[in-house]
Amino acid sequence: MAGIEEAEAQLSEIELLTSMFPSKDEFVIKDQLALAELREYVEGTLDSPPSSRPEFVIQHKMDTESMEGVTFAVSFMYVLDYPNVLPDISVRCAELSRAQQTQLHMDMNSFLKENCCGEVCVLSAVEWVKDNIHRYISKNPSTTAPAPITQPEEMFTRLWIYSHHIYNKSKRKNILEWAHDLGLTGFSMPGKPGVVCVEGLQTSCEEFWARVKVLTWKRILIRHREDIPLDSEVGHREETLSSFRKFSGFEETIFDPRGSRGNHMDLGQLYQFLNEKGCGDIFQLYFGIEGR
């Protein structure tokens, strides 16, 4: 990232988009860690520019008479110098052939270069696609094969969440109750720092994160995530899901608290606990040192 001004412009645009598209069906941030690092850099808690790049998708369903039912998705990935240069943008629509899609990308980028140089352009790009996509979709049904209807692939997910601290009794209670309500396994370690691991269906993990992140925190982020495709056969799903779990339930874990407030856990015991569960390598991701 070139500098703080570019980072501020990027963060402001994402916050605007989040308020404009509150539905997960319309706006999806693909890497919460990249967004967290961007915010930390803008707020001054991260000294150097983040290495990861925010990436997100905006999906829109057309409601005009000629395009009714047509859905398109526009994917964006910020580049280092955005908004001084255009982000990486791609448009996906089942009704577009490869040649039509290529032409649409060329024309859209030409428009954005001419009209949005040096300015944030996500909304301009989406509006341009909405206004012009009908020009690229072939009206001859024989040239465009209908897209097959596919169900989204179910995933097993494990989220490793890091918080500056977890003291509040209400938050600790929420974490336990939400994990149980959503059928997630894992653990929560209160104190400073706070560590939370949840595992289960991807949709349940993301719902847990959506609930937790909106609470008041000094700092909270997803430090690491694991996604594994599940067996597509319904009869095997629960069996496969269970085989991926490293924890049998969800509980709050305390490791010999110490310090003047009794809020610093014994990280050596945390490492041993993680090691016993077959995920000792996560310790270094959290704390930057090898456990022992």
Side-chain angles (χ1 to χ4, degrees):
M1 191 172 297
I4 192 66
E5 290 184 3
E6 289 80 2
E8 290 174 344
Q10 293 179 20
L11 182 61
S12 294
E13 184 174 44
I14 290 177
E15 290 177 342
L16 173 63
L17 294 169
T18 302
S19 66
M20 291 182 64
F21 303 103
S23 170
K24 292 181 180 180
D25 295 332
E26 296 178 292
F27 181 64
V28 178
I29 297 175
K30 301 184 73 173
D31 188 344
Q32 291 289 344
L33 179 57
L35 176 58
E37 290 179 343
L38 176 65
R39 180 172 286 108
E40 290 171 18
Y41 180 56
V42 171
E43 294 174 350
T45 56
L46 187 66
D47 296 331
S48 58
S51 57
S52 53
R53 303 178 185 181
E55 184 177 0
F56 51 89
V57 179
I58 295 176
Q59 184 165 287
H60 179 77
K61 187 173 183 179
M62 301 290 288
D63 57 5
T64 62
E65 184 176 347
S66 60
M67 292 283 107
E68 186 176 3
V70 172
T71 300
F72 66 83
V74 190
S75 300
F76 298 87
M77 177 184 285
Y78 287 157
V79 293
L80 294 177
D81 294 325
Y82 177 75
N84 296 322
V85 296
L86 294 181
D88 292 333
I89 308 175
S90 63
V91 179
R92 295 288 180 269
C93 177
E95 282 76 10
L96 287 173
S97 68
R98 183 173 297 180
Q100 292 164 347
Q101 188 168 287
T102 299
Q103 187 63 52
L104 181 147
H105 283 158
M106 291 174 57
D107 296 344
M108 176 185 62
N109 284 326
S110 295
F111 169 83
L112 295 176
K113 286 177 182 178
E114 184 176 344
N115 295 277
C116 301
C117 184
E119 303 290 339
V120 294
C121 69
V122 169
L123 289 176
S124 296
V126 173
E127 287 300 316
W128 187 92
V129 176
K130 286 168 60 177
D131 293 341
N132 293 276
I133 194 170
H134 67 277
R135 297 168 45 214
Y136 300 87
I137 295 177
S138 173
K139 295 182 180 180
N140 182 354
S142 64
T143 62
T144 306
I149 300 175
T150 58
Q151 296 296 324
E153 185 176 27
E154 285 196 300
M155 304 287 285
F156 172 87
T157 293
R158 185 178 296 112
L159 299 181
W160 296 95
I161 300 169
Y162 172 91
S163 173
H164 180 270
H165 64 263
I166 303 176
Y167 298 147
N168 184 278
K169 291 182 179 179
S170 178
K171 290 179 184 176
R172 291 164 63 178
K173 181 181 178 183
N174 285 337
I175 289 171
L176 286 168
E177 290 182 350
W178 291 341
H180 292 152
D181 291 346
L182 294 167
L184 300 174
T185 51
F187 73 96
S188 172
M189 184 188 80
K192 181 179 180 182
V195 173
V196 179
C197 172
V198 288
E199 57 179 13
L201 286 175
Q202 184 181 69
T203 51
S204 298
C205 287
E206 290 179 349
E207 173 63 23
F208 177 88
W209 172 241
R211 296 182 190 182
V212 167
K213 70 178 180 179
V214 298
L215 301 176
T216 304
W217 302 96
K218 182 173 182 179
R219 183 188 185 198
I220 192 167
L221 55 90
I222 297 175
R223 181 66 78 187
H224 181 63
R225 71 177 292 157
E226 303 165 52
D227 292 304
I228 307 171
L230 287 171
D231 195 313
S232 58
E233 295 185 22
V234 176
H236 296 161
R237 192 187 72 172
E238 287 302 321
E239 181 180 344
T240 306
L241 191 65
S242 297
S243 70
F244 288 147
R245 294 185 190 272
K246 293 185 180 293
F247 302 89
S248 57
F250 190 93
E251 61 182 356
E252 185 176 85
T253 55
I254 306 293
F255 300 107
D256 191 16
R258 52 190 67 181
S260 59
R261 295 177 58 186
N263 56 10
H264 291 273
M265 300 297 166
D266 186 325
L267 296 184
Q269 291 186 26
L270 171 63
Y271 172 71
Q272 294 299 325
F273 172 77
L274 293 174
N275 215 29
E276 290 170 1
K277 300 296 183 180
C279 41
D281 55 325
I282 293 297
F283 189 89
Q284 187 167 11
L285 288 175
Y286 268 107
F287 305 107
I289 58 174
E290 292 186 8
R292 59 180 182 176

